Amino acid sequence: MTAKIIDGKTIAQKIREKIKNEIKEFKQKPGLAVILVGNDEASNIYVKNKEKDCQEIGFYSEIHKLPEDISEEKIKELINKLNNSDKIHGIIVQLPLPNHIKEETVINTILPEKDVDGFTYINAGKLFTGNKGLLPCTPAGCIELIKSTGVEIKGKEAVVIGRSNIVGKPMAMLLMQEHATITICHSKTKNLKEITKRADILVAAIGKPKMITEDMVKDGAIIIDVGMNKDENGKLCGDVDFENVKEKVSYITPVPGGVGPMTRAMLMKNTLTAYLNINGGKN
Ligand code: NDP
């Protein structure tokens, strides 16, 4: 069996087009503010991409570039200003932040209604308790990718490798909401292979190049590869050994072109949702 490739790039493009059409007649445009602290190369690229997505769709956007040595207080001041701005409906702080700044404190200054990354305690708590909040973009995108296969999630055995607050944990919660039976694995998990081999749906969010090999996956599984790593030649690659695993499974996301573009698209979708929520569904 050779897997069908889940084309995240095309699915993401469709989501962007749908949003673009939906906001065409809006008198005021949804607005996204991105805060970037310091000069991290990868972060710079991510922020540029977010700005590009906003421009393509027709969102209003503001990029706030702050120096590396800025104080936590100053960032919080800016967030409070954006919390009160009528032009801004979504606020994100590009992570990681410099060591002297406490990420959690900064993130939780964002008004939950404008927390389009879904990282505040309120939105994380809503997800945990099964209430409607803004969802973290990467796991939300992964669910869309799984659904795009047409395979029912309900009753499936799903294994998530990784337990971070931004990917692994919310991913497992979302899969459970879709009625999968979930197992979460991490660096201290024993007999990882025995567990991953049971998975009808396997989500790898580890950060280790090509760690998931063909002997670790079940025949016909759906594989979602969140990892973004550099391989031995400096080329972008996922956590899954794509070339070999694809011969054994039914669906697989590539890296690049899988989860990455969907994460970007879900940020745009969250910004629209935040806008509609803030305006009581009116535009
Ligand atoms: P973290 O480093 O926060 O988490 C990695 C997780 O993997 C941890 O829970 C860790 O376990 C676990 N892990 C590490 N080594 C092993 C191992 N040998 N066996 C089993 N589990 C292991 O990373 P993130 O969750 O932030 O990101 C994961 C990956 O996804 C990265 O490559 C990142 O670049 C990528 N990413 C991609 C995005 C996209 O848009 N495509 C968005 C966000 C992230 P433990 O908790 O025990 O340490």
Side-chain angles (χ1 to χ4, degrees):
M1 175 192 281
T2 298
K4 292 200 180 77
I5 311 296
I6 305 176
D7 183 356
K9 212 171 153 189
T10 303
I11 300 169
Q13 178 63 31
K14 283 194 187 135
I15 292 172
R16 283 202 298 276
E17 271 159 24
K18 192 163 171 264
I19 300 172
K20 191 174 172 177
N21 277 326
E22 196 173 334
I23 69 156
K24 240 183 213 153
E25 309 298 326
F26 285 14
K27 280 175 231 90
Q28 189 204 7
K29 301 297 179 198
L32 175 70
V34 181
I35 300 172
L36 174 63
V37 183
N39 222 346
D40 181 72
E41 197 188 328
S43 293
N44 268 314
I45 296 171
Y46 296 146
V47 168
K48 270 210 184 90
N49 285 337
K50 284 164 188 166
E51 193 177 20
K52 207 173 108 204
D53 291 341
C54 284
Q55 279 165 359
E56 184 197 321
I57 290 175
F59 282 177
Y60 169 73
S61 67
E62 283 178 10
I63 311 294
H64 295 269
K65 289 194 175 176
L66 307 175
E68 179 90 26
D69 60 356
I70 191 146
S71 70
E72 197 172 290
E73 257 340 283
K74 284 272 178 236
I75 305 178
K76 281 161 68 181
E77 254 173 49
L78 170 62
I79 293 175
N80 280 321
K81 229 161 77 193
L82 297 167
N83 280 342
N84 291 315
S85 163
D86 293 337
K87 286 197 288 192
I88 296 300
H89 310 91
I91 303 168
I92 63 166
V93 177
Q94 186 66 48
L95 301 178
L97 289 171
N99 287 337
H100 69 280
I101 295 164
K102 205 154 179 272
E103 277 179 8
E104 289 205 11
T105 313
V106 167
I107 296 293
N108 282 292
T109 310
I110 300 172
L111 213 58
E113 292 81 357
K114 296 191 176 185
D115 166 32
V116 284
D117 259 339
F119 291 164
T120 57
Y121 293 150
I122 295 285
N123 282 315
K126 282 186 172 174
L127 173 58
F128 192 81
T129 52
N131 286 291
K132 223 173 154 73
L134 291 164
L135 297 174
C137 300
T138 301
C142 291
I143 290 287
E144 294 293 320
L145 292 173
I146 298 166
K147 286 186 173 170
S148 77
T149 64
V151 174
E152 194 176 38
I153 301 174
K154 187 164 74 183
K156 292 283 182 325
E157 182 125 15
V159 174
V160 178
I161 317 174
R163 56 174 164 179
S164 70
N165 288 330
I166 61 172
V167 191
K169 278 188 218 164
M171 184 72 237
M173 284 298 137
L174 285 175
L175 283 163
M176 187 164 63
Q177 271 178 17
E178 296 291 336
H179 311 294
T181 301
I182 52 164
T183 306
I184 307 174
C185 302
H186 46 77
S187 68
K188 310 289 182 290
T189 297
K190 295 215 167 71
N191 306 324
L192 183 66
K193 185 166 138 181
E194 269 171 37
I195 301 167
T196 55
K197 268 183 90 76
R198 290 205 314 255
D200 302 307
I201 299 167
L202 181 64
V203 181
I206 313 162
K208 297 250 154 54
K210 301 182 191 175
M211 191 186 114
I212 305 302
T213 45
E214 82 233 61
D215 56 321
M216 296 175 80
V217 301
K218 181 177 177 178
D219 282 329
I222 297 174
I223 310 288
I224 305 294
D225 190 354
V226 182
M228 286 210 298
N229 315 295
K230 293 269 170 70
D231 70 8
E232 60 280 7
N233 304 314
K235 235 181 92 194
L236 185 64
C237 77
D239 289 340
V240 178
D241 180 10
F242 180 84
E243 283 310 319
N244 295 311
V245 170
K246 81 174 187 332
E247 299 305 326
K248 204 174 163 192
V249 299
S250 60
Y251 293 92
I252 188 168
T253 60
V255 180
V259 175
M262 279 305 279
T263 297
R264 283 169 60 179
M266 297 319 274
L267 177 66
M268 299 296 113
K269 198 174 163 194
N270 271 354
T271 305
L272 175 60
T273 303
Y275 169 94
L276 292 171
N277 289 344
I278 289 166
N279 292 336
K282 289 192 280 289
N283 54 70

